[in-house]
Amino acid sequence: MGSGTKTGEDTTMVTGNDDAEATMVGRSIYAQAPKIVLKHFLSYTEGTEPKRIEIPAEGIVIGRVAPADVAIGSPEISRKHCKIEIQDEWAILSDLGSTNGTLIDGTKIDRPMRLRSGTKFSLGSFEIRYERRDPREVAEEAELSHELQRAEEYVRAILPQPISEGPVQTEWCFIPSTKLGGDAFGYQYVNEGVFTGFVLDVSGHGIGSCMHAANVANALRRRALPDVDFTDPASVAAGLNATFPMEEHNGLLFSVWYFAYELASRTLKFCAAGHHPSFLVTPDNPEPAPLWLKSPVIGMLPFGKWASGSAVMPVGSRLFVFSDGAFEIVTADGHAWSMEDLRVLLKAPAIAGVPEPQRLYQAVRAASKPGPLDDDFSVLMVTFG
């Protein structure tokens, strides 16, 4: 047998009964890995909008206004604050004599510094993250972000319009997180004498949780639960549990706070299925009162017992129903909020011209650490005239 050199092909000798030899030539099963060319990226959040930019080979200058290559409208940032140069595979960060300094790990830099992938640096208190990544991965993330945006638009499309007239009025604020959680809410008259509503929160984040929330909300909106009395909150919870078991919906659970208000008696019935309390504020009592009875989360078990509570709604009463994204935040100094912090906010004076749910969001946003909130923010306020 002769010898040779392999060039991406395998050679196999086959011998038959007639002692003849045949040579089979085929491609190697070991494919050569594609060459990865890493690029340099910066990511930051301006207002509530997350942004990611690629650093070109010629580098960039970051400042507050043009002619800076990257203009970020923060008062913390100087007109020409810093620059990043690309040298071989390194990104080199230099301050340009800024007022508030360029900081890495809380320390102002006084000379050019190499950035490692994942490094966070600050222009004053404005934080930016540097990454060196495969552009294909970045493009895939951008596509996923686009899909999340489409899912968010669908959820917004099924949310009801505020009600500004009549015996029951509503206002709400819905701010989805960048990861898109599983919040949804709705309300309607099921007959001339009963007004119903709900806020629900599906476990997890992403398109799956978002679309599951939309499906549940549509079932409630269309009253598409068999053998359910929609004026009885406990019956609604049981019907939801029978219709949406976790084993048939990718392991997703959800909590829901559902209510039914009877106009003639001014009585509100409610069920908190795995959900935290809602708060009632009345004209005679400025202290927000929790409305809650313990009941199981929806979808976990094939059976359960859901409890209904009730309360009378004096004229001018306001009911606040919300998701946990309205209070589960971390402040700039690292303090983790609880529901008590939100209850305190409810007692604060109203702001003229600002809807109450929007005021609550502004206060939560101001108290939270910089960047988007970690979860969806949903607050529904119902006023009983």
Side-chain angles (χ1 to χ4, degrees), residues 70-114:
V70 178
I72 302 174
S74 168
E76 292 284 318
I77 298 176
S78 298
R79 292 175 63 87
K80 287 188 176 180
H81 197 108
C82 67
K83 68 177 180 179
I84 298 177
E85 299 171 286
I86 303 300
Q87 298 179 8
D88 297 326
E89 63 182 31
W90 290 100
I92 311 297
L93 174 68
S94 303
D95 187 74
L96 295 176
S98 64
T99 301
N100 293 320
T102 302
L103 300 85
I104 297 178
D105 295 330
T107 302
K108 288 186 178 182
I109 64 174
D110 55 8
R111 63 184 186 278
M113 300 289 291
R114 286 181 172 182

Side-chain angles (χ1 to χ4, degrees), residues 167-225:
V168 181
Q169 300 179 17
T170 63
E171 293 180 285
W172 51 262
C173 180
F174 170 63
I175 308 293
S177 69
T178 55
K179 295 178 290 186
L180 195 60
D183 285 11
F185 57 87
Y187 42 79
Q188 63 183 328
Y189 284 92
V190 295
N191 57 49
E192 292 183 355
V194 178
F195 182 84
T196 65
F198 64 90
V199 169
L200 66 89
D201 187 356
V202 175
S203 58
H205 293 87
I207 294 174
S209 296
C210 174
M211 298 312 295
H212 191 50
N215 289 337
V216 176
N218 279 330
L220 291 170
R221 182 167 60 92
R222 296 167 181 165
R223 285 173 263 170
L225 301 175

Side-chain angles (χ1 to χ4, degrees), residues 302-318:
F303 53 85
K305 184 176 182 180
W306 286 268
S308 281
S310 65
V312 174
M313 302 290 108
V315 174
S317 298
R318 295 178 299 164

Side-chain angles (χ1 to χ4, degrees), residues 8-210:
E9 295 180 337
D10 285 341
T11 303
T12 304
M13 192 69 69
V14 179
T15 303
N17 292 334
D18 56 359
D19 292 331
E21 293 181 343
T23 301
M24 299 179 63
V25 180
R27 293 188 178 277
S28 171
I29 62 173
Y30 301 105
Q32 186 175 6
K35 185 178 180 180
I36 297 176
V37 179
L38 301 180
K39 299 289 187 178
H40 306 270
F41 296 90
L42 297 177
S43 57
Y44 57 92
T45 299
E46 190 169 7
T48 59
E49 182 183 357
K51 296 184 176 181
R52 176 183 279 129
I53 61 170
E54 181 179 340
I55 306 172
E58 61 270 21
I60 56 171
V61 171
I62 303 174
R64 189 174 67 252
V65 294
D69 302 303
V70 178
I72 302 174
S74 168
E76 292 284 318
I77 298 176
S78 298
R79 292 175 63 87
K80 287 188 176 180
H81 197 108
C82 67
K83 68 177 180 179
I84 298 177
E85 299 171 286
I86 303 300
Q87 298 179 8
D88 297 326
E89 63 182 31
W90 290 100
I92 311 297
L93 174 68
S94 303
D95 187 74
L96 295 176
S98 64
T99 301
N100 293 320
T102 302
L103 300 85
I104 297 178
D105 295 330
T107 302
K108 288 186 178 182
I109 64 174
D110 55 8
R111 63 184 186 278
M113 300 289 291
R114 286 181 172 182
L115 296 175
R116 296 185 179 276
S117 185
T119 297
K120 294 180 180 179
F121 62 94
S122 300
L123 313 185
S125 62
F126 189 92
E127 188 173 86
I128 299 176
R129 177 183 174 91
Y130 163 76
E131 294 178 299
R132 188 162 180 255
R133 298 186 58 187
D134 183 344
R136 291 172 298 183
E137 292 181 356
V138 174
E140 289 171 0
E141 282 190 11
E143 179 62 25
L144 176 60
S145 178
H146 178 67
E147 292 298 323
L148 289 172
Q149 178 65 32
R150 291 177 59 189
E152 176 194 333
E153 291 171 355
Y154 176 73
V155 170
R156 285 189 178 277
I158 66 172
L159 296 178
Q161 292 295 315
I163 301 174
S164 58
E165 298 179 348
V168 181
Q169 300 179 17
T170 63
E171 293 180 285
W172 51 262
C173 180
F174 170 63
I175 308 293
S177 69
T178 55
K179 295 178 290 186
L180 195 60
D183 285 11
F185 57 87
Y187 42 79
Q188 63 183 328
Y189 284 92
V190 295
N191 57 49
E192 292 183 355
V194 178
F195 182 84
T196 65
F198 64 90
V199 169
L200 66 89
D201 187 356
V202 175
S203 58
H205 293 87
I207 294 174
S209 296
C210 174

Side-chain angles (χ1 to χ4, degrees), residues 197-200 231-240 255-260 268-278 291-298 305-311 319 321:
F198 64 90
V199 169
L200 66 89
T231 68
D232 179 0
S235 174
V236 172
L240 288 170
S255 66
V256 61
W257 204 95
Y258 182 95
F259 68 88
L268 181 98
K269 298 177 182 178
F270 63 87
C271 178
H275 208 82
H276 49 259
S278 294
L291 298 182
W292 186 76
L293 287 175
K294 185 177 181 180
S295 286
V297 71
I298 302 297
K305 184 176 182 180
W306 286 268
S308 281
S310 65
L319 174 69
V321 192

